[in-house]
């Protein structure tokens, strides 16, 4: 047994030619639909960055360059499987079914925000879509996903949990805790580590002394796999295999998706301070979007006019969602005091009344 | 009615709830086969099996993180942290996650669980087996904090806590585990959360205490009685949300208050109680509120009985407050 894992599962060549040995052989319409979702996610991402630069929203944490390894694993889940996000997976949330308007409301923290304006942008929650709740502390969702899938296993529910995290999170306590518990109890969990090379400004080689991130899984009794994270079809292939394996009761898998962050960490970051242009250009050449486009064009499933029409449609939907979100007011003051407990205790009743008597503060944040 | 100590009463509550509610699972270090280092979960593994009474790896963060996942699924986990001194590896999961889940998800993801953990000193445990970290959790919105003083309350409060819709930290005063016995009804009953109890009525001074220190407060009250001071002793039982009405009623009656806790004085829960009393009953006070607490040092080993706010230190505080 080798403990390093030099193999990286790939389906599409840089020119977009599928390897029949690894091709998940999805119907053409499915691949087109996921490609459209990738384009939509990217277009939305670019628009949100612009809105932040214009001071219309407070923050955005995007997925530029990582669309394939976010949407691919999401597409490989069954309807009854659960997805536990870190914070870069708004594309997955929309693919799971959250309406664009609700997501945009979250970006504005307005009265229609599903989390009632209580968290900063991109900290959504999507229980109706079997999608977790975003928090900022790194790695905490990993152990929770293990506990959730463990509970499903105890109850004889065949659902599998997939948890997203970045390579930086492999340094967190909770990566160790979650992987260890999953290995001990053989929980139906898929650990999806997106190695995008950077944890804000710290490069992957300063995050670990091991050659790969996936090889850590050996130590926990979790099956490791490495895959090309810029290859949608490869991501679907390895995730589908891991989900099926978990559902058969064979235990957890950790997938290391090798990808690149083609932007800063978030709108608050300036990567020029720690990255060189040549390196970034080289990464841009591995962009997952042109690669899948080349594949679809060669299959005669996609062309320029389809792309133009789709971009216009996305633009219209995004504009409408922004417009509606901007017209929607802030949550009522009293909502600040709700959901702290199932029933507000006396101190919150008192403080709510105090807040309602207090002079209101001027506008804040992105709204 | 059977007589039980607190270990037996908690064990009885856990057995009852494991039987009654299939969503309940116990998990923690050594809670299974050996029945916990204090034997609180004794025989439950035998009765309910390894899937309901789970021996876990030695990782408090893992225990609480996994229990949160179970709670999100809809189960009612009752994780045990072997000593509350070891709760800090799980602090992030408790404070950043458990406490905030309902709020941050807009109500989509309530996380209902009870974290059981032995608390307090007086058992020759040194500072890593003796501390009282309740203030950290009282300070965190979204958590409830309970600390029973006797077997009857322990069973009834634990059953109420497991059935509550919010996450509860359930601190078990380990010095009392086998020291106190009381009548404990067989079968189901609850002691409602957020209800303090006047365990000794009096008219001159109020002493507020909980957990193991309640007995010290009662002892000091009895000694004060010999000197003509009639002391009321209030057992908080639930620390948060605290029963503010009972506190205010007692302080309005006596006008004098002594607060007792094992935790260090600075920013201890006593400080918050003094502030609340000042806010809500200032004009009824006849003397400054007094705190008798652990000192602002790490919990010591050899000198622990001097560190703890035992009756010998509470009595002068009662007398001085009464004569102020």
């Amino acid at each position: 047994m080798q403990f390093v894992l030099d193999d990286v599962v790939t389906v599409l060549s840089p020119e977009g030619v599928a390897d029949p040995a690894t091709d998940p052989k999805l119907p053409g319409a499915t691949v087109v639909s996921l490609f459209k979702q990738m384009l939509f996610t990217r277009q939305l991402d670019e628009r949100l960055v612009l809105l932040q630069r214009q001071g219309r929203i407070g923050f955005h944490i995007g997925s530029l360059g990582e669309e394939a390894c976010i949407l691919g694993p999401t597409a490989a889940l069954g309807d009854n499987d659960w997805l536990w996000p870190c914070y870069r997976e708004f594309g997955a949330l929309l693919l799971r079914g959250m309406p664009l308007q609700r997501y945009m409301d979250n970006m504005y923290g307005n009265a229609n925000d599903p989390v009632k304006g209580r968290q900063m942008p991109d900290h959504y929650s999507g229980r109706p879509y079997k999608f977790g709740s975003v928090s900022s502390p790194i790695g905490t969702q990993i152990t929770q996903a293990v506990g959730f899938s463990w509970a499903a296993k105890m109850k004889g529910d065949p659902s599998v949990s997939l948890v997203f995290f970045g390579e930086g999170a492999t340094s967190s306590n909770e990566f160790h805790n979650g992987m260890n518990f999953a290995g001990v109890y053989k929980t139906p969990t898929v650990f999806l580590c997106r190695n995008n090379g950077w944890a804000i400004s710290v490069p992957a080689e300063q995050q670990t002394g091991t050659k790969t991130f996936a090889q850590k899984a050996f130590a926990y009794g979790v099956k490791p796999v490495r895959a090309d994270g810029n290859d949608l079809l490869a991501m679907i292939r390895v995730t589908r295999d891991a989900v099926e394996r978990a559902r058969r009761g064979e235990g957890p898998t950790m997938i290391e998706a090798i990808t690149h962050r083609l932007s800063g960490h978030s709108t608050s970051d300036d990567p020029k301070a720690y990255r060189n242009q040549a390196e970034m250009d080289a990464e841009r050449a591995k962009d997952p979007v042109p690669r899948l486009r080349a594949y679809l064009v060669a299959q005669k499933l996609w062309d320029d006019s389809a792309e133009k029409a789709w971009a216009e449609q996305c633009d219209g939907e995004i504009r409408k969602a922004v417009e509606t979100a901007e017209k929607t007011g802030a949550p009522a003051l009293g909502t600040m005091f709700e959901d702290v407990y199932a029933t507000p205790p006396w101190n919150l009743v008192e403080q709510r009344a105090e807040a309602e008597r207090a002079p209101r503060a001027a506008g804040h944040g992105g709204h | 009615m059977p007589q039980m100590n607190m270990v037996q009463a908690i064990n009885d509550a856990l057995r009852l709830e494991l039987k009654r509610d299939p969503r309940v699972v116990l998990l923690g270090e050594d809670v299974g086969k050996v029945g916990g280092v204090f034997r609180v979960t004794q025989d439950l593994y035998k009765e309910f099996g390894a899937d309901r009474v789970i021996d876990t790896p030695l990782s408090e963060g893992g225990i609480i993180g996994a229990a949160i996942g179970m709670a999100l699924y809809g189960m009612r986990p009752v994780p045990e942290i072997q000593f509350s001194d070891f709760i800090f590896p799980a602090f992030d999961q408790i404070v950043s996650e458990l406490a905030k889940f309902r709020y941050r998800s807009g109500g989509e993801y309530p996380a209902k669980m009870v974290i059981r953990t032995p608390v307090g000193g007086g058992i020759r445990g040194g500072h890593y087996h003796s501390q009282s970290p309740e203030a950290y959790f009282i300070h965190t919105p979204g958590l409830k904090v309970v600390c029973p003083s006797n077997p009857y309350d322990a069973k009834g409060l634990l059953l109420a806590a497991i059935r509550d819709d919010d996450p509860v930290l359930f601190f078990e005063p380990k010095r009392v585990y086998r020291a106190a016995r009381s009548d404990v009804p067989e079968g189901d009953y609850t002691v409602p959360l957020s209800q303090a109890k006047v365990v000794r009525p009096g008219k001159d001074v109020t002493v507020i205490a909980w957990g193991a220190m309640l007995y010290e407060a009662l002892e000091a009250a009895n000694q004060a009685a010999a000197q003509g001071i009639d002391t009321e002793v209030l057992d908080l039982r639930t620390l948060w949300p605290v029963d503010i009405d009972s506190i205010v009623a007692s302080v309005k009656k006596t006008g004098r208050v002594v607060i007792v806790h094992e935790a260090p004085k600075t920013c201890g829960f006593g400080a918050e109680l003094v502030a609340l009393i000042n806010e809500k009953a200032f004009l009824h006070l006849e003397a400054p509120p007094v705190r008798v607490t652990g000192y602002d040092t790490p919990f010591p080993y050899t000198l622990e009985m001097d560190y703890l706010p035992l009756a010998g230190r509470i009595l002068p505080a009662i007398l001085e407050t009464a004569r102020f």
Side-chain angles (χ1 to χ4, degrees):
Chain A
M1 186 187 247
Q2 55 135 343
F3 288 103
V4 172
L5 290 172
D6 288 317
D7 294 343
V8 175
V9 177
T10 304
V11 175
L12 292 176
S13 72
E15 300 74 30
V17 179
D19 178 349
T22 49
D23 189 349
K25 300 188 174 64
L26 302 172
T30 305
V31 184
V32 168
S33 142
L34 288 169
F35 180 64
K36 287 167 77 176
Q37 196 71 21
M38 284 170 72
L39 293 173
F40 171 60
T41 302
R42 182 164 291 193
Q43 200 169 333
L44 179 56
D45 216 336
E46 286 164 355
R47 179 80 171 128
L48 291 166
V49 171
L50 206 61
L51 289 170
Q52 192 276 337
R53 297 295 181 234
Q54 293 167 343
R56 290 158 74 185
I57 59 173
F59 175 83
H60 175 53
I61 184 151
S63 56
L64 191 70
E66 298 179 44
E67 295 90 345
C69 53
I70 290 172
L71 298 177
T74 306
L77 294 177
D79 288 345
N80 290 320
D81 295 327
W82 287 75
L83 193 157
W84 302 92
C86 63
Y87 43 53
R88 214 181 274 289
E89 293 90 5
F90 66 98
L93 176 65
L94 296 168
L95 186 59
R96 289 292 279 189
M98 180 179 270
L100 173 63
Q101 188 61 57
R102 289 286 82 73
Y103 169 66
M104 197 61 80
D105 291 330
N106 174 258
M107 296 306 293
Y108 279 83
N110 67 25
N112 292 330
D113 172 8
V115 304
K116 308 183 187 176
R118 290 173 184 153
Q119 291 219 75
M120 66 191 293
D122 281 317
H123 288 56
Y124 27 76
S125 179
R127 183 158 207 153
Y129 320 104
K130 296 191 165 65
F131 188 99
S133 147
V134 176
S135 76
S136 308
I138 292 301
T140 46
Q141 79 279 12
I142 299 174
T143 332
Q144 294 163 6
V146 170
F148 191 95
S149 56
W150 187 8
K153 182 183 173 182
M154 285 175 187
K155 293 291 176 195
D157 164 2
S159 79
V160 170
S161 281
L162 181 142
V163 58
F164 277 115
F165 53 95
E167 89 286 348
T170 64
S171 299
S172 73
N173 298 338
E174 297 302 325
F175 171 77
H176 168 69
N177 290 340
M179 293 282 281
N180 190 42
F181 273 60
V184 170
Y185 299 106
K186 300 275 172 288
T187 61
T189 321
V190 178
F191 297 89
L192 202 301
C193 173
R194 286 199 320 279
N195 174 7
N196 70 10
W198 294 89
I200 306 188
S201 69
V202 176
E205 56 272 21
Q206 264 172 264
Q207 205 64 244
T208 184
T210 59
K211 189 175 174 201
T212 70
F213 287 95
Q215 74 191 75
K216 294 169 189 288
F218 285 118
Y220 296 104
V222 173
K223 184 185 175 186
V225 180
R226 296 176 83 216
D228 185 337
N230 289 356
D231 179 341
L232 181 87
L233 301 182
M235 288 311 303
I236 292 174
R237 173 61 194 259
V238 295
T239 311
R240 212 165 60 179
D241 290 352
V243 168
E244 284 169 5
R245 179 171 177 267
R247 221 185 303 282
R248 287 194 303 267
E250 292 169 27
T253 301
M254 173 179 168
I255 299 167
E256 177 186 349
I258 299 153
T259 184
H260 303 290
R261 198 187 75 199
L262 299 181
S263 65
H265 167 72
S266 71
T267 51
S268 308
D269 181 34
D270 177 13
K272 286 192 203 79
Y274 55 88
R275 302 217 55 191
N276 73 62
Q277 194 59 47
E279 203 179 76
M280 288 196 283
D281 290 345
E283 288 176 1
R284 207 162 272 280
K286 297 186 211 161
D287 187 332
V289 168
R291 195 151 145 202
L292 191 61
R293 182 189 289 121
Y295 167 82
L296 289 173
V297 169
Q299 306 280 313
K300 302 207 182 321
L301 292 167
W302 193 250
D303 57 30
D304 285 349
S305 70
E307 184 143 339
K308 189 161 171 288
W310 176 241
E312 278 167 19
Q313 188 184 330
C314 293
D315 185 60
E317 286 174 20
I318 294 167
R319 272 174 200 283
K320 190 164 149 284
V322 169
E323 200 178 306
T324 305
E326 287 187 342
K327 277 197 299 216
T328 307
L333 184 63
T335 63
M336 177 157 55
F337 300 92
E338 293 165 2
D339 300 324
V340 183
Y341 295 91
T343 308
W346 63 268
N347 59 313
L348 289 181
V349 173
E350 280 185 9
Q351 290 170 26
R352 179 177 178 157
E354 186 186 320
E356 278 164 357
R357 287 192 306 270
R360 290 299 304 268
H364 177 266
H367 199 70
Chain B
M1 200 180 293
Q3 284 259 316
M4 292 187 194
N5 65 30
M6 192 183 278
V7 167
Q8 293 164 329
I10 295 171
N11 182 274
D12 195 42
L14 292 171
R15 175 177 290 103
L16 194 147
E17 208 60 0
L18 279 162
K19 251 186 223 159
R20 197 191 69 86
D21 186 347
R23 298 171 304 172
V24 171
V25 290
L26 315 186
L27 68 159
E29 296 155 14
D30 309 299
V31 301
K33 280 185 189 152
V34 74
V37 297
F38 289 101
R39 305 292 180 266
V40 174
T41 52
Q42 181 125 43
D43 294 333
L44 299 177
Y45 176 90
K46 235 185 283 169
E47 195 171 338
F48 297 97
D51 289 340
R52 309 250 350 249
V53 183
I54 304 163
D55 278 319
T56 66
L58 210 167
S59 166
E60 290 79 11
I63 292 165
I64 301 301
I68 292 173
M70 291 178 180
L72 300 181
Y73 189 84
M75 296 182 73
R76 293 282 178 133
V78 184
E80 176 183 297
I81 299 297
Q82 198 162 80
F83 285 83
S84 59
D85 310 78
F86 305 143
I87 205 164
F88 300 103
F91 199 64
D92 193 26
Q93 285 287 1
I94 297 171
V95 168
S96 305
E97 301 287 325
L98 180 63
K100 294 175 173 61
F101 242 108
R102 181 193 291 277
Y103 192 75
R104 81 177 201 214
S105 66
E108 282 184 354
Y109 282 110
K112 305 167 191 177
M113 73 165 74
V114 177
I115 301 174
R116 290 184 38 252
T117 185
V119 73
I123 54 117
R124 302 191 63 73
H127 51 231
Y128 297 120
H129 298 81
S130 304
Q131 295 168 91
S132 296
E134 66 274 1
Y136 299 110
F137 303 101
I138 296 170
H139 185 63
T140 302
L143 300 176
K144 293 183 175 177
V145 180
V146 172
C147 185
S149 66
N150 62 72
Y152 176 90
D153 283 352
K155 178 175 172 182
L157 285 166
L158 182 54
L159 289 172
I162 296 173
R163 296 169 196 177
D164 198 77
D165 285 333
D166 293 303
V168 179
L169 274 283
F170 195 84
F171 287 107
E172 300 170 1
K174 59 177 102 71
R175 191 179 176 216
V176 179
Y177 261 158
R178 291 175 189 278
R181 293 183 75 82
S182 63
D183 287 338
V184 175
E186 286 181 279
D188 199 350
Y189 71 95
T190 58
V191 172
L193 302 189
S194 293
Q195 287 187 15
K197 189 178 179 193
V198 176
V199 292
R200 184 189 198 283
K203 61 178 179 18
D204 296 332
V205 179
T206 299
V207 178
I208 299 174
W210 58 87
M213 290 305 103
L214 184 79
Y215 300 94
E216 300 297 328
L218 284 169
E219 170 63 21
N222 289 338
Q223 291 171 15
Q227 302 192 42
I229 308 297
D230 186 14
T231 306
E232 175 148 304
V233 179
L234 192 60
D235 180 359
L236 287 187
R237 306 199 288 190
T238 294
L239 306 188
W240 201 260
V242 75
D243 181 358
I244 190 67
D245 293 341
S246 294
I247 293 173
V248 169
S250 182
V251 172
K252 281 186 177 170
K253 182 166 71 169
T254 63
R256 299 165 197 272
V257 61
V258 174
I259 296 157
V260 179
H261 60 66
E262 295 185 39
K265 188 171 197 175
T266 300
C267 284
F269 188 44
E272 181 61 34
L273 293 174
V274 171
L276 287 171
I277 289 163
N278 281 337
E279 285 172 1
K280 294 183 182 295
F282 186 75
L283 295 177
H284 297 268
L285 287 173
E286 304 288 344
V290 171
R291 290 175 285 166
V292 186
T293 68
Y295 298 110
D296 290 344
T297 68
F299 194 101
Y301 175 68
T302 306
L303 301 177
E304 71 171 328
M305 289 305 175
D306 291 296
Y307 174 91
L308 288 171
L310 301 185
R313 286 173 57 203
I314 300 169
L315 177 63
I318 292 173
L319 298 179
E320 281 166 33
T321 302
R323 291 164 186 162
F324 180 83

